[in-house]
Amino acid sequence: MKRQLLLLFIMPAFLRLGAQELHGWEPYLNQVMTAEDAATENWQQTYDLLCDLTQHPININKATREELEALPFLSAQQVEELMAYLYRYAPMRSTAELRMLKLLTPAQRTLLSYCIYAGEGETKRYVHHDLTATAKLPLSEGHWLRYQLQYGDRLKAGLVADQDADEPFLKAPNRWGYDYYAPYLQLNRYHRLETLVLGSYRVSMGMGLVMNNSFALGKIAMLQNLGRSTNTLRAHSSRMENALQGAGATLNLGRGWHVTAFAGYVPMDATLNKDGSVRTILTTGYHRTTAELSKKHNLHATKVGGTLRYQAHGWHWGLNGLYTHLDRELRPDTKQLYNLYKPQGTNFVNMSMDYGYANRRWALNGETAVDGHGHMATINSVSLAMDGGLTLMALQRFYQYRYTGLDAQSYSDGGCVQNESGAYIGANWQLSPKWQVAAYADWAYFPWVRYRHPAGTWTMDYLLQGLYTGNHWKLSARYRLKAKEHAHRTRLSAECNTPIGLSLRTQLDGYYGAADGTTLGGMLSESVAYAHKWLRLNAGAGYYHTDDYSSRLYVYENGPLYTYAMQQLYGEGLRYWLMARVQAGRKMLLTAKMGVSNYFDKPAKTDVMVQLRLKI
């Protein structure tokens, strides 16, 4: 039986077929995501942002530098190259002209083509209403709504309402219906006012050492944006429940000067000590059981901050600040050594300076921060775009183990901006329009105790990835080694497209670990996409067999809009799924998806999801 399954999966990969890309922008995630990235909650937010960017593309011929810099997958050099091209050759006639930009990789070019369009003259502004309703069946498995009103690229306002599986609905404690509501409003480019946000919103400053609760990318994607710093104020339209609620604004003061100020209020879930202080802050957002409901919104944070930024002639620098007040004292269990230097108290202050320079050839970015007790964190990167399609990058970070930043989120191997120093070097070589090679090496040292790790530990992480993009074929191979854990991960994939609207991808994932005895894992998966006029079908199936949880594997599945679908698989079994998307006229989109996890050692599990989208 297994041999027949292998033949079923492998045969389509060797059929000589061809046509255009039909998967849309989703393959970009599969190309730049590692197993660690796939397991983090931040990728739901990343996925939602990419969905929003592709659903509401910008007119490239009227785009400002700030709008291009808000696209988080572009590097500073690529933004410079794109601005120079527009200055010299504008207007763009079509997105096919992106092929003239030498620094864009094929994956970035494809993704960017979904985020922009080439319009002529002034952008016509219309009021659009967009309502998306999604439900898992039965309804007790969860459902959510998203309404957005948009007026061109100047104004958007909306509401997100979300109910996770088994959470009370229209009954105590959620008598008003959903467990989570997020209203938002964003106004862009009104005289000196660049951005105004009200309601739920997110902020990123510099390279994230003070605050970054917006877009997050992992180690492979770091080679795409080359460690670029970002400064964005963005309305929050995702179901992730950790956004600020309040107001923020960015003003253009002229001559390269910008100022951002914001104030927000955040209710958070927390586990309390007996004296009413907070032992642990929880971020799952689940409120299903009596125990989970007892921890809901036990803690409230008030946050005030801002940025003063200068940017001109390729140079930029900014001063960033954040003050946070908690209405309960944060007091973790310091009897456990790994908690000894976790954030403690009720008031937290963080300040930083970010700086950099960029032209079409090279870029320098960095940020240095201190907390209220003078403890320091710094991160710095330099990248160089050379002739022959070769891009080199180096990144250094030093985060003191006493540094405290409740909202800090930046590049790290340990998952937080604390207790880590390290160096990252990477190379991206576009040998030809069809061939690309990417590699990185990352070393990290952790001077203080971590969970399940003693003091003075270190890690070494290496990756090599090759990609071939032809007219009809896309082939890729990846090898990753985490040397300290003796963990090896491999991936081979082959994708082809047909003239009849059919696309197929075969993927083989493997794992070998030798840290505490030998553990093995393998998965063979096949995905199929078909598009014809008003109909789009996606399907996939995979067989996996792993020795334990540590050798788990991940497979990405297409899903309805704003629904991130990454399956984490271990043990032995089959995973198969089917999704149909029907465009019923110009205003209605219907999507249905069914997936089955057929475990060999326990009962199968079926998941069903339906979505209705109305756009007027």
Side-chain angles (χ1 to χ4, degrees):
M1 179 64 181
K2 293 181 182 179
R3 183 177 299 176
Q4 294 172 337
L5 285 171
L6 290 175
L7 291 173
L8 176 64
F9 288 130
I10 292 174
M11 284 179 64
F14 295 96
L15 298 176
R16 180 167 294 278
L17 302 166
Q20 61 181 359
E21 173 74 56
L22 293 171
H23 285 282
W25 55 268
E26 292 100 328
Y28 175 78
L29 295 182
N30 199 52
Q31 184 176 327
V32 303
M33 194 184 305
T34 65
E36 288 76 7
D37 299 330
T40 62
E41 296 178 357
N42 291 328
W43 275 94
Q44 173 64 63
Q45 184 177 304
T46 298
Y47 183 85
D48 288 348
L49 176 57
L50 289 174
C51 277
D52 207 42
L53 288 171
T54 55
Q55 291 298 308
H56 305 95
I58 62 176
N59 183 352
I60 188 63
N61 292 318
K62 297 298 177 181
T64 64
R65 177 182 293 273
E66 289 73 21
E67 286 177 315
L68 294 178
E69 289 177 342
L71 300 175
F73 51 85
L74 295 180
S75 69
Q77 294 103 313
Q78 289 165 340
V79 172
E80 289 291 331
E81 183 184 36
L82 187 51
M83 291 297 296
Y85 183 88
L86 291 171
Y87 178 78
R88 186 173 182 180
Y89 299 110
M92 270 194 184
R93 300 301 180 185
S94 74
T95 56
E97 290 187 50
L98 294 176
R99 294 180 177 273
M100 303 299 294
L101 303 176
K102 297 180 180 180
L103 297 182
L104 287 177
T105 66
Q108 288 174 306
R109 189 180 299 118
T110 299
L111 182 56
L112 182 58
S113 69
Y114 283 92
C115 297
I116 65 172
Y117 69 96
E120 295 186 12
E122 288 295 326
T123 302
K124 295 182 179 180
R125 298 187 179 94
Y126 301 97
V127 175
H128 296 284
H129 301 271
D130 191 331
L131 176 64
T132 304
T134 307
K136 296 180 179 179
L137 301 179
L139 289 178
S140 60
E141 290 295 312
H143 48 94
W144 59 274
L145 295 171
R146 183 181 188 269
Y147 166 75
Q148 181 165 293
L149 176 151
Q150 185 151 350
Y151 176 63
D153 55 357
R154 288 292 181 88
L155 174 70
K156 67 177 180 180
L159 174 70
V160 175
D162 178 61
Q163 195 81 11
D164 291 318
D166 299 322
E167 290 181 339
F169 182 68
L170 287 175
K171 58 183 179 181
N174 298 325
R175 297 188 183 276
W176 293 97
Y178 284 92
D179 179 73
Y180 170 72
Y181 289 98
Y184 60 91
L185 181 147
Q186 180 172 330
L187 175 66
N188 300 317
R189 298 194 307 278
Y190 185 76
H191 300 300
R192 291 283 185 179
L193 181 66
E194 279 195 356
T195 305
L196 171 69
V197 290
L198 299 173
S200 294
Y201 66 95
R202 294 187 175 275
V203 181
S204 63
M205 300 187 292
M207 297 185 74
L209 300 187
V210 169
M211 189 172 199
N212 176 22
N213 60 7
S214 188
F215 197 85
L217 288 172
K219 292 186 177 182
I220 301 178
M222 181 68 68
L223 286 174
Q224 308 285 347
N225 66 13
L226 300 177
R228 180 170 64 89
S229 63
T230 59
N231 287 267
T232 58
L233 195 62
R234 192 194 307 274
H236 172 71
S237 58
S238 172
R239 293 175 290 141
M240 299 295 291
E241 300 183 16
N242 57 351
L244 292 170
Q245 299 176 12
T250 298
L251 296 176
N252 185 343
L253 304 180
R255 297 188 177 183
W257 290 92
H258 300 78
V259 62
T260 298
F262 61 88
Y265 174 79
V266 187
M268 295 183 287
D269 300 348
T271 301
L272 303 182
N273 296 310
K274 292 182 179 180
D275 61 0
S277 61
V278 175
R279 184 168 72 247
T280 307
I281 296 176
L282 305 174
T283 60
T284 63
Y286 292 133
H287 309 122
R288 302 163 295 188
T289 64
T290 301
E292 290 175 346
L293 286 168
S294 68
K295 301 171 184 178
K296 181 179 180 180
H297 298 174
N298 279 339
L299 178 65
H300 300 83
T302 301
K303 303 184 181 187
V304 180
T307 296
L308 176 64
R309 185 174 178 84
Y310 173 78
Q311 183 170 356
H313 309 297
W315 295 93
H316 74 264
W317 66 267
L319 295 174
N320 313 296
L322 176 66
Y323 168 74
T324 301
H325 172 73
L326 305 180
D327 65 350
R328 292 180 186 267
E329 181 183 2
L330 188 57
R331 193 187 300 168
D333 180 11
T334 55
K335 293 180 181 179
Q336 304 290 337
L337 284 179
Y338 60 84
N339 283 332
L340 186 60
Y341 296 111
K342 292 289 180 66
Q344 302 177 43
T346 57
N347 297 293
F348 301 87
V349 176
N350 295 87
M351 299 186 68
S352 77
M353 174 181 283
D354 69 274
Y355 37 83
Y357 173 80
N359 58 31
R360 284 184 287 172
R361 216 45 173 162
W362 65 279
L364 170 70
N365 288 284
E367 184 178 11
T368 299
V370 294
D371 63 15
H373 299 284
H375 305 130
M376 187 183 76
T378 184
I379 183 170
N380 300 275
S381 71
V382 60
S383 57
L384 176 64
M386 305 177 66
D387 293 331
L390 178 63
T391 302
L392 302 175
M393 176 191 170
L395 181 144
Q396 167 272 336
R397 73 268 191 195
F398 171 72
Y399 310 145
Q400 282 189 314
Y401 59 82
R402 290 174 177 260
Y403 179 77
T404 299
L406 292 179
D407 291 277
Q409 178 182 287
S410 189
Y411 181 85
S412 70
D413 187 77
C416 65
V417 181
Q418 188 183 43
N419 185 35
E420 179 175 334
S421 59
Y424 171 105
I425 58 173
N428 200 336
W429 192 5
Q430 193 71 45
L431 291 85
S432 71
K434 294 184 177 182
W435 287 97
Q436 178 190 355
V437 176
Y440 73 69
D442 187 43
W443 303 274
Y445 175 72
F446 308 92
W448 187 248
V449 177
R450 296 186 295 155
Y451 181 63
R452 293 186 175 179
H453 294 279
T457 56
W458 50 272
T459 61
M460 294 188 299
D461 186 7
Y462 307 97
L463 179 137
L464 177 64
Q465 178 172 284
L467 178 66
Y468 170 81
T469 305
N471 294 330
H472 309 311
W473 283 92
K474 181 181 291 184
L475 308 174
S476 68
R478 177 192 297 179
Y479 169 72
R480 187 183 184 195
L481 167 65
K482 300 204 77 171
K484 190 66 176 179
E485 295 87 348
H486 302 286
H488 306 255
R489 289 186 180 272
T490 58
R491 171 174 292 174
L492 299 173
S493 70
E495 183 174 338
C496 59
N497 302 281
T498 77
I500 60 172
L502 186 67
S503 176
L504 306 103
R505 185 180 72 221
T506 301
Q507 183 169 298
L508 177 64
D509 290 271
Y511 175 88
Y512 170 79
D516 300 311
T518 300
T519 58
L520 298 172
M523 175 170 57
L524 183 62
S525 58
E526 179 74 29
S527 61
V528 180
Y530 175 75
H532 179 70
K533 296 182 180 179
W534 49 267
L535 176 65
R536 175 178 171 181
L537 298 174
N538 294 87
Y543 166 74
Y544 61 93
H545 190 179
T546 74
D547 289 340
D548 53 20
Y549 180 76
S550 65
S551 55
R552 63 193 178 280
L553 298 166
Y554 297 85
V555 60
Y556 176 78
E557 298 177 358
N558 297 90
L561 291 173
Y562 307 103
T563 305
Y564 173 62
M566 178 65 71
Q567 297 296 326
Q568 175 181 276
L569 304 171
Y570 59 94
E572 185 178 12
L574 292 170
R575 170 68 185 178
Y576 42 95
W577 58 277
L578 172 66
M579 185 179 76
R581 183 173 295 172
V582 176
Q583 186 71 49
R586 298 180 60 184
K587 299 179 179 180
M588 183 182 297
L589 180 67
L590 297 170
T591 306
K593 178 183 177 182
M594 183 180 73
V596 178
S597 296
N598 192 351
Y599 307 105
F600 287 9
D601 58 349
K602 55 184 176 181
K605 181 180 178 181
T606 301
D607 51 272
V608 180
M609 186 180 300
V610 293
Q611 183 180 85
L612 169 65
R613 185 190 186 207
L614 298 175
K615 191 171 183 179
I616 303 174

